[in-house]
Amino acid sequence: MTDNSANSMWGGRFAGGVDAIMEAINASIGFDRRLYAQDVAGSRAHAAMLATTGIITEGDARAIDQGLAQVKDEIEAGNFPFRTALEDIHMNIEARLKEIIGEPAGRLHTARSRNDQVAVDFRLWVRAQCDAAITGIEALMRAFLGQAEAGADWVMPGFTHLQTAQPVTWGHHMLAYVEMLARDRGRFIDARARMNECPLGAAALAGTSFPIDRHMTAAALGFDRPTANSLDSVSDRDFALEFLGAASICAMHLSRFAEELVIWSSAQFRFVRLSDAFTTGSSIMPQKKNPDAAELLRAKLGRILGANVALFTVMKGLALTYSKDMQEDKELTFDAADNLMLGLAAMEGMVRDMTANREALALAAASGFSTATDLADWLVRALNLPFRDAHHITGSLVKMAEDAGIDLPDLTLEQMQSVHEGITDAVFEVLGVDNSVRSRISYGGTAPDQVRTQVARWQEVLQ
């Protein structure tokens, strides 16, 4: 006979043998206690419905409601006796309710299962996280709008391949992130609308023979309607996956700007100065001001995307309906939601506090032959040249300037005419970076007036 309790693989932590291991792997109370408010809300709505439909008495429903209110108060006061042996938040609350009100507590679970109970609790929690994400995104959008409005006409280099491409405005660059975040906001709004159906009443998997009113509980919990298929109700977590998908895309956008902040705050760029609140010093190099918050935020995407991939992996092989594997959905989603909200708050603080170095931006905007495209466009407009010819002429002028160690606006008219005799001194009106950005008047372009128009539009949307 094998002595399981002595198995060295289990070690001292599981000295109790199989029972200790099973309790540890089966219990979820260590993390699903976060669902206490949703569990209480769902149970109170369920009890009220049971009384209205005559399944339990009004007296039992009142006792249950008062007892659940006390349970919620105890949890929020830190006085609740959580017990791992009771596995999860649902059983912990039900056991404590029985201690408080006695026999009526046993009637609460009529016409429901832990399967539909956890489904409604988790859906309520994820729905609330969508709301929180929407609020956080809107706050960050306002921070970017503040920067865009202040720097609507500040010139800076626009990049492709991290190489200077064309001059743009600081405001235009900030608005690019407003647009990204607006789509993130839309994804959370869409996800919330899709998940706003109530699974309570699906019971274990097949519904119930009791004459329940699922529309009543759905309305009480703020859902648009009850779910229409009991099997689907308890077996899918696509609402959590959709939340994680939206969170992953949003975190990717935050990570991209975090990367720009790391680059821009370096001594080589000096485009921005981050506040002391979001930077740290070096232990041995007193001149350093490290963008630690941006670097950490850049890394948060890994955890959020990891949660997304992990839950997909959990769900992909599960036959209908409920399997214990699905207990792994919560820790992943909790962690992703926490990190997303932290990332949004940190980024809002960094964007609001950062100071753009207007002089460094303008100096960089004027380097790297950034107005070459403006020169080519001028050749098309003024000399009626095909764009490909204009592109070739401009390339020759760029090489001439590069060989001379100067920028395009520093070439003389005679030097330009040596490449194409039709060039006139009017060309110098388009070669300055300020002239360049002012000329980009197409809808959504970088011209200051376009920037101010978009700022005003978004400010109105976010009111």
Side-chain angles (χ1 to χ4, degrees), residues 264-385:
W264 289 355
S265 62
S266 68
Q268 289 72 26
F269 273 74
R270 298 184 302 110
F271 281 6
V272 298
R273 186 175 72 250
L274 299 175
S275 73
D276 292 346
F278 296 99
T279 56
T280 64
S282 166
S283 60
I284 62 170
M285 295 171 283
Q287 84 280 9
K288 295 287 293 297
K289 190 174 185 180
N290 299 323
D292 282 10
E295 292 170 358
L296 289 167
L297 196 153
R298 188 173 54 183
K300 294 294 183 186
L301 171 61
R303 294 178 66 150
I304 296 171
L305 182 59
N308 192 14
V309 173
L311 185 53
F312 267 110
T313 306
V314 168
M315 296 300 300
K316 73 174 181 62
L318 300 186
L320 298 184
T321 57
Y322 182 82
S323 297
K324 194 69 171 180
D325 311 50
M326 292 163 68
Q327 183 170 292
E328 291 297 308
D329 58 0
K330 292 167 203 67
E331 275 188 291
L332 299 167
T333 309
F334 291 161
D335 185 72
D338 289 346
N339 281 286
L340 176 66
M341 294 310 301
L342 179 60
L344 287 168
M347 184 60 83
E348 182 199 353
M350 283 189 285
V351 172
R352 287 193 185 280
D353 289 358
M354 71 180 180
T355 304
N357 184 340
R358 188 175 179 181
E359 292 74 21
L361 290 169
L363 186 63
S367 67
F369 309 105
S370 64
T371 57
T373 303
D374 297 276
L375 173 55
D377 289 347
W378 181 88
L379 290 169
V380 171
R381 287 194 310 270
L383 304 185
N384 198 29
L385 294 176

Side-chain angles (χ1 to χ4, degrees), residues 35-181:
L35 298 175
Y36 79 89
Q38 290 76 23
D39 196 71
V40 168
S43 292
R44 294 175 87 170
H46 185 65
M49 180 275 295
L50 292 176
T52 299
T53 54
I55 298 171
I56 66 174
T57 68
E58 291 286 350
D60 284 347
R62 279 194 300 274
I64 290 169
D65 190 73
Q66 292 167 3
L68 287 169
Q70 180 177 329
V71 167
K72 186 169 183 283
D73 289 343
E74 289 178 0
I75 293 174
E76 291 177 346
N79 301 323
F80 188 87
F82 290 109
R83 285 172 279 183
T84 304
L86 293 174
E87 295 185 16
D88 56 32
I89 187 63
H90 323 296
M91 296 302 291
N92 268 265
I93 288 177
E94 187 173 329
R96 178 59 182 145
L97 181 65
K98 186 174 182 180
E99 292 172 355
I100 296 170
I101 68 172
E103 182 183 354
R107 296 190 172 91
L108 172 60
H109 211 54
T110 307
R112 79 172 182 185
S113 161
R114 271 196 290 179
N115 291 357
D116 63 336
Q117 189 177 357
V118 68
V120 73
D121 290 0
F122 194 32
R123 196 173 289 231
L124 285 168
W125 191 90
V126 175
R127 186 181 71 180
Q129 291 305 301
C130 285
D131 292 336
I134 291 164
T135 299
I137 289 169
E138 289 176 349
L140 179 54
M141 289 173 71
R142 291 188 184 95
F144 274 113
L145 285 172
Q147 288 284 348
E149 187 172 31
D153 58 357
W154 301 353
V155 291
M156 66 173 290
F159 297 99
T160 60
H161 310 281
L162 204 56
Q163 304 293 315
T164 298
Q166 293 177 252
V168 296
T169 53
W170 172 260
H172 196 53
H173 198 107
M174 297 298 102
L175 284 173
Y177 285 96
V178 173
E179 295 291 335
M180 295 179 214
L181 290 165

